[in-house]
Amino acid sequence: MSMATRQRRALPSDPSTTGSSPAYTKVDKPERSDGENEDVDRGLGWLLPLICLGMLRHMSATSNIIHDCDEVFNYWEPLHYLLYNSGFQTWEYSSQFALRSYLYILLHKLVGWPASWWFGEEKVRVFYAVRIFLAVLSVISDAALVVALSQKYGKRLASYTLAMLCLASGCFFASTSFLPSSLSMYAMSLSSALFLFNKPAMAVSVAATGVILGWPFSILAILPLTIYSLVKSFKSVFLTGAVTSIVLMVLSVLFDYDYYKRWTSSVINLLEYNVLGGGESHLYGTEGASFYLRNGFNNFNFCFVLALLFLAILPIAKKKFAPELFVVVSPVYLWIAFMSLQPHKEERFLYPIYPLICVAASAVIESFPDLFRDKYNPNGPSVLVMVAKFLRPLALGLILCASHSRTFSLINGYSAPIEIYKHLDYHDDAGTGSVLCVGSEWHRFPSSFFIPDYVGQVRWLDDGFTGLLPIPFNSSLGGMSAALSYFNNKNKASEGQYLRDPEQCTFLIELQLQRPYPTRGSDLSKWEIVAALPYLDRELSPPMYRSFFIPYQWQQKNVFGQYRLLRRIQK
């Protein structure tokens, strides 16, 4: 990209701008460097982003709730099986379907195995060790993005982005979720950073890693960066991207063969199931076209609104942001539009573009004064420009306050499912072989990492759910390589998924809400409450108060139930 196009301030040693009169000069921003001039201030270094992101990601790793049962049953449970030879299996991991790759799970086993050896029976610590590993990946990728923005566009844009990456609720929760879409999010941040560092071949290689090792559907999100990089440097980009893709695909097939005991590719199986095979994913929940717009506002509040306005300010700020930054943030529009057309929608499907939402919103805030500059006298005094400059910290502060409010509300309102299972550690006097039963709360089961060794089984109770539930891996039938007849891809319940005799239950997990019908644990002649924690009742709480923490109102306006651990009374 030529110097004249970037419209940076002319230097005495810069002959290409002699005699020119650029339409834009960064009078209110420190000089930036694009790597061509060592004398120019390079903006933020690595230390500040690493420290800030490190603290917030550590907080996320230790306090994050589990937002999706798919994270538990498709990722935490297979990892638990690899480490401890026990855990729940979903139909996606049955050999006849093989929709999930063990290569992704094994990446986390690299941390989980030494942690399981170090902590011994304390499996909960292994859970958090893996989360710390995810936090480190997030810190590295997001810090690289911040530094790249600083060197390319200045400290202000980078600082705004850093603040949003740290505190935006979406990034806070997605950064330590054990999901392929989170890995694709890390890859999106790092590949965007490498692209801005003018390393297109490495950028495409990292993006390909996020697609193949993480989530195959994120290939659509990396298209703008890949196409622009190919145009810029076709040979090196194509060769690097092709080699990376081939190597990862081969590794995926080899590991799939090792675990499924047949030649197959989980990447291709997943694409075929969702695209070519009729698309049965709609069996697992559909939402309207506005789902991602509402979800985006919940997780990013006004940051999301500003991100969508990036295209509107681009004609005014194109000398600063086009084409590189536009290429980086364009997946926001492409991804939201494509995913909104799909019937099956989930919050985690937007994870890959979460960092880009922060970048786009930061660019809009940074450009506030440009909206009011006189194009013939951009450096002239203007009251509106001064007001716009004053509005920048106000807008950022509003976004960060709303984000913290959202994060606080979710953590304090919905953390009971993770915390209640930890109380099992205090009741090992129940004896080896105890049975823990879960009814309608099966979808909030936090994984077998929270089940102590004295509990012999975790069993589901029939509370009216008619779909297919996860069933424990069966080592006697082949474990991971078994093609099990009780699994199907039609979400039809299996006969053996429920415990038919509730009298076998030693413990019971139950959510007690203000409803006009009794629950199993209501009979206190059979059950004693050994632990109870508040849980926000979504249906009875006002949307505004349950979504955001409002001081002095959150506790009063919301309605809470009790998340209970009950123990059978011995007669």
Side-chain angles (χ1 to χ4, degrees):
M1 186 178 184
S2 67
M3 295 181 181
T5 303
R6 285 197 307 266
Q7 296 298 333
R8 60 178 174 78
R9 186 179 299 168
L11 297 175
S13 59
D14 191 352
S16 64
T17 58
T18 303
S20 63
S21 179
Y24 174 80
T25 57
K26 297 180 189 168
V27 295
D28 61 340
K29 180 192 291 189
E31 289 275 7
R32 64 176 172 83
S33 169
D34 55 12
E36 295 179 2
N37 298 279
E38 299 298 330
D39 298 334
V40 182
D41 179 12
R42 288 185 173 275
L44 293 179
W46 285 87
L47 184 60
L48 180 63
L50 288 175
I51 291 176
C52 294
L53 287 165
M55 290 190 298
L56 270 297
R57 295 299 180 256
H58 180 267
M59 291 174 61
S60 174
T62 54
S63 63
N64 195 3
I65 62 176
I66 294 177
H67 301 260
D68 193 326
C69 64
D70 192 67
E71 177 182 354
V72 171
F73 295 117
N74 275 330
Y75 306 104
W76 284 113
E77 287 301 287
L79 178 63
H80 188 274
Y81 183 77
L82 291 178
L83 297 176
Y84 301 101
N85 201 38
S86 67
F88 283 98
Q89 180 182 16
T90 63
W91 69 270
E92 291 99 321
Y93 280 93
S94 190
S95 182
Q96 70 266 40
F97 302 111
L99 262 63
R100 306 293 179 181
S101 175
Y102 278 98
L103 180 59
Y104 173 71
I105 304 295
L106 289 173
L107 172 66
H108 302 78
K109 187 183 178 182
L110 294 176
V111 175
W113 182 81
S116 65
W117 174 81
W118 181 264
F119 294 120
E121 296 181 357
E122 298 179 274
K123 296 189 296 183
V124 173
R125 292 195 176 191
V126 179
F127 175 90
Y128 287 109
V130 174
R131 272 195 170 179
I132 293 293
F133 168 66
L134 297 174
V136 170
L137 295 180
S138 177
V139 168
I140 294 172
S141 58
D142 286 347
L145 179 59
V146 170
V147 173
L149 289 170
S150 179
Q151 292 188 11
K152 190 78 175 178
Y153 299 105
K155 289 183 179 179
R156 182 177 287 112
L157 176 58
S159 299
Y160 292 169
T161 303
L162 175 60
M164 293 186 190
L165 287 172
C166 285
L167 292 177
S169 297
C171 295
F172 185 88
F173 293 124
S175 60
T176 54
S177 293
F178 186 6
L179 289 166
S181 51
S182 288
L183 182 62
S184 295
M185 180 182 72
Y186 310 150
M188 184 66 73
S189 285
L190 186 55
S191 62
S192 298
L194 292 168
F195 176 78
L196 294 175
F197 281 135
N198 198 28
K199 299 181 184 297
M202 293 179 63
V204 172
S205 178
V206 170
T209 302
V211 170
I212 297 172
L213 188 58
W215 196 29
F217 294 102
S218 63
I219 188 172
L220 183 66
I222 70 166
L223 278 181
L225 183 148
T226 302
I227 293 173
Y228 188 86
S229 297
L230 285 170
V231 172
K232 190 174 183 179
S233 181
F234 179 83
K235 184 177 180 180
S236 61
V237 170
F238 179 80
L239 288 176
T240 306
V243 169
T244 302
S245 301
I246 292 172
V247 169
L248 289 175
M249 283 296 293
V250 170
L251 287 175
S252 177
V253 170
L254 290 175
F255 280 107
D256 286 345
Y257 175 78
D258 187 46
Y259 286 98
Y260 289 121
K261 302 304 180 187
R262 71 183 183 92
W263 290 109
T264 187
S265 170
S266 58
V267 175
I268 295 175
N269 294 341
L270 183 64
L271 291 172
E272 181 181 3
Y273 170 76
N274 285 280
V275 179
L276 302 178
E280 299 290 349
S281 61
H282 67 277
L283 296 173
Y284 301 92
T286 59
E287 297 286 348
S290 64
F291 174 79
Y292 289 123
L293 297 179
R294 291 183 281 108
N295 188 267
F297 184 81
N298 281 339
N299 285 315
F300 289 91
N301 56 82
F302 299 103
C303 173
F304 185 70
V305 177
L306 292 174
L308 296 180
L309 293 176
F310 179 83
L311 281 182
I313 64 100
L314 190 60
I316 298 173
K318 64 182 178 181
K319 289 183 172 61
K320 288 192 294 184
F321 300 142
E324 282 91 347
L325 195 65
F326 172 67
V327 171
V328 168
V329 303
S330 58
V332 171
Y333 304 97
L334 188 64
W335 192 246
I336 291 176
F338 173 77
M339 297 307 295
S340 295
L341 295 175
Q342 310 308 310
H344 181 205
K345 299 178 178 66
E346 295 188 39
E347 177 182 327
R348 59 191 168 94
F349 291 173
L350 285 193
Y351 284 8
I353 63 168
Y354 274 6
L356 307 186
I357 292 174
C358 297
V359 174
S362 298
V364 173
I365 294 176
E366 197 271 345
S367 299
F368 278 178
D370 298 332
L371 302 176
F372 304 100
R373 294 190 193 277
D374 185 343
K375 64 179 180 178
Y376 299 109
N377 185 22
N379 299 330
S382 171
V383 175
L384 291 177
V385 170
M386 295 300 295
V387 171
K389 290 181 179 181
F390 179 73
L391 288 177
R392 288 192 295 200
L394 288 181
L396 181 65
L398 176 63
I399 289 171
L400 298 184
C401 287
S403 297
H404 180 69
S405 174
R406 168 71 172 173
T407 302
F408 182 93
S409 181
L410 289 183
I411 289 177
N412 286 274
Y414 302 104
S415 62
I418 278 185
E419 298 301 323
I420 201 72
Y421 280 84
K422 296 177 182 178
H423 287 265
L424 286 167
D425 288 333
Y426 307 111
H427 299 279
D428 54 356
D429 60 316
T432 303
S434 297
V435 179
L436 171 66
C437 294
V438 185
S440 59
E441 287 301 296
W442 66 268
H443 61 290
R444 296 191 181 103
F445 177 65
S447 83
S448 298
F449 285 95
F450 291 81
I451 305 302
D453 290 340
Y454 76 86
V455 176
Q457 297 183 75
V458 176
R459 298 300 306 270
W460 312 130
L461 297 178
D462 188 356
D463 277 347
F465 180 71
T466 59
L468 179 64
L469 289 178
I471 298 174
F473 280 95
N474 193 323
S475 299
S476 62
L477 297 179
M480 294 172 288
S481 64
L484 303 169
S485 59
Y486 46 75
F487 281 132
N488 63 83
N489 62 354
K490 304 298 182 183
N491 197 26
K492 295 181 179 179
S494 171
E495 291 185 2
Q497 69 184 27
Y498 290 119
L499 178 65
R500 296 303 178 186
D501 182 13
E503 296 297 320
Q504 298 179 24
C505 300
T506 311
F507 296 97
L508 176 66
I509 293 288
E510 193 172 75
L511 175 60
Q512 180 73 48
L513 299 174
Q514 298 179 16
R515 301 293 187 271
Y517 46 82
T519 60
R520 295 178 188 272
S522 300
D523 188 353
L524 297 182
S525 64
K526 295 182 177 180
W527 300 97
E528 63 172 329
I529 303 171
V530 295
L533 295 172
Y535 188 84
L536 199 151
D537 190 333
R538 186 179 184 279
E539 294 182 8
L540 298 183
S541 299
M544 176 61 70
Y545 294 99
R546 72 167 184 257
S547 298
F548 299 95
F549 172 75
I550 300 175
Y552 307 109
Q553 298 293 315
W554 188 81
Q555 191 76 33
Q556 298 176 9
K557 298 290 186 179
N558 287 317
V559 177
F560 295 86
Q562 280 193 338
Y563 218 90
R564 294 177 173 178
L565 171 63
L566 303 108
R567 181 172 174 174
R568 182 175 294 279
I569 298 175
Q570 299 297 325
K571 296 182 180 180

